[in-house]
Structure formats: structure tokens, C-alpha cells
Amino acid sequence: MKKIAKAALAAVLLVGASLSAAAVERGGTMTYGRYADSLFLDPVLNDANVDIWILSNLYDTLLLPTDDGKGVQAGLATEWKVADDGMSVSLTLRDGIQFSDGSPIRPADVAWSLKRAANKDNGIWNFLVSSIDDVTTEGEKTVVLKLKHPDPAILAALTVFNTAILPQKVFEAAAGATDADKAKAFAEHPVSSGPFVLQSWDRGSTMKLVRNEHYWGKGEDGKPLPYLDGVTFEVLPDDATRILKLNSGEIDGAEFIPYSRVEELKSAGNLNMELFPSTRVQYVTMNARPQIKGKDNPLSNPKVRQAMNYAVNKDAIIAIVTHGVGKPLTSYMSSATPMHTGDKPLYAYDIEKAKSLMKEAGFEKGFDTSILVLAGNQDEIGIATALQQMWAELGIKLELQQVDNATRTQQYRDGVFTMRESAWTDDIADPNEITSYFVYSPTIDALHTGWKNEEADKLFDASQKEIDPTKRAAQYARIQEIYNGDGPIVPLYETPYPVALSKKVHGFLQIPLGNNFFGRAWLDK
């Protein structure tokens, strides 16, 4: 048996910085400005970062990602063993762990939570743990995952939000006849396992989390985490408003700072402008269905999509929008994602080639189309305005439709959008998640676009069972070759996470997988 014991991490939660016990101050509420509100706080039945980055503060998983996003460390489990044949994983739960209502976290809760996550009828992320055949318990502390086949990403999958541990009895007692109904009811007042508990939620405006008095983690001072009494999230879609409130001291931190404001905020005496390393990629999603709402769709033609890519001067967009912070994508996945291939920017700017492809596709005179842009987001508006000018050279008239996040998400999931600006962040230190979402058609029709490639689908299926790293890397290299040449996106750039914080904030961490961790954050009094 392979054994990984992390006893030294038994009381550790993602250390963002080394702090002496004397330096840490407890209490207070941190107010954080968000660009958009959450939609649904169930770990299994969602696919939006606005949910995921809150879930990581409400719920714990058996294992946690390391601060660099590349490995795993102890969470609710302190030890884990993968069988030599790769067909099972045994995990030992830490002593005395409790849910936020004070009830014990039992192996039975873990088994139920993982089975729910692996259920093919529940959500779109079940593939991450689809290798699980059964979950059994042994005594009061041991959980055993029995696998259908060896899974090269099973440990990493146990750090992902959809494998969060929920209380079985409370969930099943929630109102509703189906799992989805119960999840909706439970998520309104969740009993959680992470450092914070949902206190209140005024949708579209304010969400308040308070400390979980029963959380297992210990701080630098030896006392229970979190340091804060609570975190209040204010929904502030307009970039300028978030920055104004931050500068005035009304809020303590703000996410997704426009890159045009980064240098300015770096010089602000009252702020720390952070650029956290990331796996974040920026792109435009293109609906590839032959028709949208009964009308013929030019974007269904691969040559049109390729032409539009060649007509985009990505270096110019990077300079204009990110002020040089970004770098061109060399694949649909970030260069920090395991098994990434590619050392050259995709679709070098070539307007003549773009015009030639448009002519071959039968659209020499162009066409009218539209793109969904998040209202108030300076970076997205800047990108869309640049695309509008660049595609005009192909005779394409682009309408910018500024909408709120909920409206855009609904059109996207319904598959009735034409184009939308998009960003992605990995949640797992493995290429399978982004590939399932972007490429593998059975998950969500490849970014809800209707694009499908049988070879890529078969390669992905095979990669989920391949434990030979060399063979698996070759499978992903071919998948990237297929998708990068024909996929339904305009790959733009990858960037760090721009977060501005008051100088009284310490210990906040956003890891490369996107998760915002407030569990070790604290405020100067």
C-alpha cells in the first residue's frame, strides 16, 4: 500500500503566510466586494465560480489543495492510502470533527456525500469521482473508496468542491421529493463543515458568513479558526464602485480589479494590490449550433470561427485590457495546468488569412452577430469593444449586449447565446476538469456550444483510466491539438487574479485554483 501521512498538518488549514501567534488579532468582520452574487450554495449541483469560491469557505473536503494548487494536504482526513493495484483508497478521519450544528461528522456522512457526488444523475462534476464504485466505512474513523478502475486523479478529486462533506440526516430531512429539491431547500440554511456558516443572504446585495464555532482548524495562536467573527460579501458589479468603496474604507477587499487600475492601486498608501498566481484563462465562447432560436448560425462553420480567431490581434488586447499583465494562450488550458502542451500563441494575427477563410466559408461580406458582456465590467467591455473593431475588417457587425451575470448564465446554460465573454479557473490539479467542460461533449455539450468531436471524446474517456503518465500525457496532447484547431472559442490570454485589499487585512489567500480562503484572514484593530 502507498501511504501518505500528514500528521504534521493535523491542525493546519492552508497557511497563507507565516505569522507569529503574537501578531494575529482575532475578531471583527471583513467586508469583501464581489463582482457578482452567488446563485446556489450546493456543492454538487452547480458549475459557477460565484458559487464555488464561497463553498470553499462553507464546506470542507477530505483533502485540501496545497497553497500552490499543485498537491493535496490534510483536510477532514489526516491520512490516506492508495492500494498498490490502484483499486481502492483508504482515508482516516481526524478526531472530533463536527458540523456547524455541533453534530459529529461520521464516516457515514462521508460515504453518503461521496456517493451523491459520484451519482451520474447529480450535477455535471460527477465525472471527477465517476471511478468510485462504492464507499464503505470501517469503525468510527475509516472510509474506503472502492474504485471501478485505477484513477490517476482520485486524490486531487477529493479536494474539489463537489466532494464536500455534508450531513446526511439534515440534508435528507430537507423539504422536497428529489435530490435537487432537497438541495435547494438545504442550501438556503446549510449545515456546513468548513470555517464559516451562512448567517443571511439578501440575494443580489449582501451575503453574511459567521465563524463556525465547531471548526476543527487551529490558528497560529493555538485557538480555533477562523480568526474573524465573520465575512460580509457585498455584490458590487461595477468595477469603479468596488474600487471607490475600497478606497473610502467601506469595504476591506475587492476581487477582479480591472488591470487598467492595477498600477494606480499599487501606489495607494492604504491598499495592497495583489496579483495572485492563477490558472485563469480568458476567452470568448462561440455557439457552434447550426441554428440559434430558429435562425441560421454562421459560427457553426469551423472556417468562420478560425477566420474570426485570425482577425483578433491578441497582443493588442493584452496590452489594452491587461496593461501587459496577461500572456497569450498557447492552449485552451492554462500553462500552469498539468499536461498542458503548446509553446506558441494560438492563431497568430493574420487578417489576410482571416479574409480568405471568410470567403471560403461563403461569408465574404460578413454578417451581424452579438456577444454577451457583463454590465459594468471594464475589462469585458474593453475586450468586446476591441473585438468589435477587429471583426469589422471582416464585415462582421458585432452588437455588445450588456447584461447581469444571472441573465448571461441562464442564456449560456440554455444554449441560446451567440457569443459570450468567458473566464475559467481550474478547481483541480489535473487537466480532466477543464477538458470535460471545454471538450468532452457528454458533460455540457462542450461549453454549452453544441460542438462535438468523437475522437476527442474517446481520448478523454481513455484518459480517465490511464495510470501511465506518459500515455496519459500523449492523450491530452492530442486532445489539445484537436480542440485548439477547431474548438468553439477565441482563446485570448491567461492572467493572475487581481485582488485589492486594505492594509489592515492579513492572511487572505486566493490559490491558483481560484479558491478564496478567508479561514486564516484577520484584521488589524
Side-chain angles (χ1 to χ4, degrees):
M1 303 282 280
K2 297 178 182 177
K3 181 175 180 180
I4 307 176
K6 303 289 184 181
L9 294 173
V12 174
L13 171 66
L14 291 174
V15 180
S18 179
L19 302 168
S20 68
V24 173
E25 295 189 45
R26 287 184 170 268
T29 298
M30 179 177 173
T31 304
Y32 193 75
R34 304 183 73 195
Y35 81 98
D37 197 6
S38 295
L39 305 170
F40 179 38
L41 297 179
D42 176 74
V44 171
L45 304 178
N46 74 71
D47 66 345
N49 281 339
V50 289
D51 297 323
I52 295 165
W53 295 355
I54 295 294
L55 293 172
S56 59
N57 293 283
L58 290 175
Y59 299 102
D60 255 5
T61 45
L62 290 174
L63 304 179
L64 295 169
T66 52
D67 291 358
D68 63 7
K70 297 179 180 180
V72 302
Q73 62 179 319
L76 293 175
T78 56
E79 296 184 9
W80 50 101
K81 304 174 184 178
V82 179
D84 290 337
D85 63 2
M87 293 297 289
S88 66
V89 183
S90 178
L91 300 106
T92 303
L93 301 183
R94 68 174 66 245
D95 293 327
I97 47 178
Q98 296 176 301
F99 288 109
S100 58
D101 64 354
S103 62
I105 299 176
R106 306 164 301 146
D109 295 304
V110 174
W112 172 82
S113 296
L114 294 181
K115 288 179 181 179
R116 179 174 178 250
N119 185 334
K120 62 181 179 61
D121 296 325
N122 287 342
I124 66 170
W125 301 117
N126 54 74
F127 82 91
L128 290 172
V129 283
S130 62
S131 62
I132 295 177
D133 187 40
D134 194 13
V135 185
T136 61
T137 62
E138 297 177 1
E140 297 182 357
K141 293 179 59 177
T142 302
V143 178
V144 179
L145 281 60
K146 297 181 179 180
L147 307 183
K148 301 172 187 175
H149 55 77
D151 183 346
I154 188 60
L155 291 181
L158 296 179
T159 72
V160 180
F161 60 91
N162 74 317
T163 63
I165 306 306
L166 278 63
Q168 179 183 3
K169 290 182 179 178
V170 178
F171 185 97
E172 291 183 338
T178 66
D179 183 272
D181 291 337
K182 290 180 180 295
K184 185 176 180 180
F186 176 85
E188 290 298 314
H189 304 283
V191 174
S192 50
S193 51
F196 293 96
V197 182
L198 178 66
Q199 181 186 56
S200 63
W201 185 4
D202 181 5
R203 289 180 180 269
S205 177
T206 307
M207 178 188 290
K208 293 183 178 182
L209 307 186
V210 294
R211 71 190 321 270
N212 175 3
E213 299 292 344
H214 302 284
Y215 188 57
W216 59 265
K218 302 293 183 183
E220 296 289 327
D221 55 5
K223 298 177 182 179
L225 289 171
Y227 299 120
L228 295 168
D229 292 330
V231 181
T232 295
F233 296 102
E234 284 196 17
V235 179
L236 304 167
D238 184 73
D239 295 334
T241 302
R242 286 201 306 283
I243 294 172
L244 185 65
K245 283 179 173 283
L246 185 63
N247 273 319
S248 69
E250 293 179 66
I251 62 176
D252 303 307
E255 65 183 0
F256 291 113
I257 298 298
Y259 294 103
S260 60
R261 306 290 298 273
V262 166
E263 288 303 315
E264 168 199 340
L265 297 186
K266 278 184 178 180
S267 62
N270 62 331
L271 301 176
N272 287 320
M273 182 65 235
E274 303 284 358
L275 294 174
F276 290 105
S278 84
T279 54
R280 188 177 191 271
V281 295
Q282 189 82 30
Y283 57 98
V284 172
T285 307
M286 312 171 86
N287 197 329
R289 293 177 176 84
Q291 289 193 329
I292 302 173
K293 295 182 178 179
K295 295 183 179 181
D296 290 342
N297 176 25
L299 303 183
S300 65
N301 189 315
K303 289 185 177 180
V304 169
R305 298 197 300 271
Q306 291 166 356
M308 293 172 73
N309 260 294
Y310 280 116
V312 175
N313 187 332
K314 300 176 181 67
D315 289 335
I317 289 179
I318 289 170
I320 294 168
V321 177
T322 79
H323 290 247
V325 172
K327 60 180 182 179
L329 283 171
T330 55
S331 180
Y332 63 87
M333 62 178 71
S334 81
S335 57
T337 301
M339 300 189 190
H340 163 278
T341 60
D343 55 7
K344 295 180 181 179
L346 299 176
Y347 294 103
Y349 178 62
D350 189 335
I351 192 64
E352 294 307 318
K353 187 168 186 176
K355 290 178 178 178
S356 176
L357 284 165
M358 288 287 283
K359 184 176 182 179
E360 289 177 31
F363 291 95
E364 186 175 7
K365 295 183 179 180
F367 51 84
D368 293 354
T369 189
S370 63
I371 186 169
L372 296 174
V373 179
L374 192 61
N377 187 296
Q378 294 178 31
D379 288 344
E380 287 204 8
I381 293 169
I383 291 169
T385 301
L387 293 175
Q388 190 178 52
Q389 296 170 356
M390 293 171 183
W391 285 337
E393 293 194 58
L394 301 181
I396 296 174
K397 295 179 181 179
L398 180 66
E399 177 192 359
L400 277 58
Q401 297 179 344
Q402 296 193 43
V403 297
D404 60 41
N405 188 62
T407 299
R408 181 168 69 173
T409 299
Q410 193 60 55
Q411 290 188 38
Y412 172 62
R413 291 176 176 173
D414 290 343
V416 296
F417 69 103
T418 303
M419 285 187 283
R420 63 158 289 181
E421 291 204 42
S422 306
W424 166 274
T425 295
D426 297 343
D427 298 292
I428 183 174
D430 193 87
N432 65 354
E433 182 193 30
I434 187 172
T435 301
S436 170
Y437 205 73
F438 279 53
V439 182
Y440 187 59
S441 62
T443 302
I444 52 165
D445 289 330
L447 289 172
H448 297 291
T449 67
W451 183 86
K452 179 180 175 65
N453 183 283
E454 290 187 5
E455 181 186 0
D457 284 348
K458 290 179 180 178
L459 284 166
F460 178 78
D461 280 328
S463 75
Q464 289 291 91
K465 304 173 184 178
E466 184 55 68
I467 58 174
D468 184 319
T470 302
K471 292 180 180 178
R472 194 163 184 254
Q475 291 166 339
Y476 273 101
R478 176 56 183 155
I479 290 171
Q480 289 171 81
E481 182 182 13
I482 293 169
Y483 192 85
N484 291 339
D486 187 44
I489 67 170
V490 179
L492 296 174
Y493 53 78
E494 54 184 307
T495 53
Y497 302 121
V499 177
L501 300 164
S502 164
K503 286 196 172 179
K504 68 180 182 179
V505 175
H506 307 274
F508 170 85
L509 177 66
Q510 185 165 18
I511 69 171
L513 301 178
N515 310 61
N516 291 318
F517 287 108
F518 294 86
R520 285 187 171 269
W522 57 278
L523 300 171
D524 285 331
K525 295 294 177 65

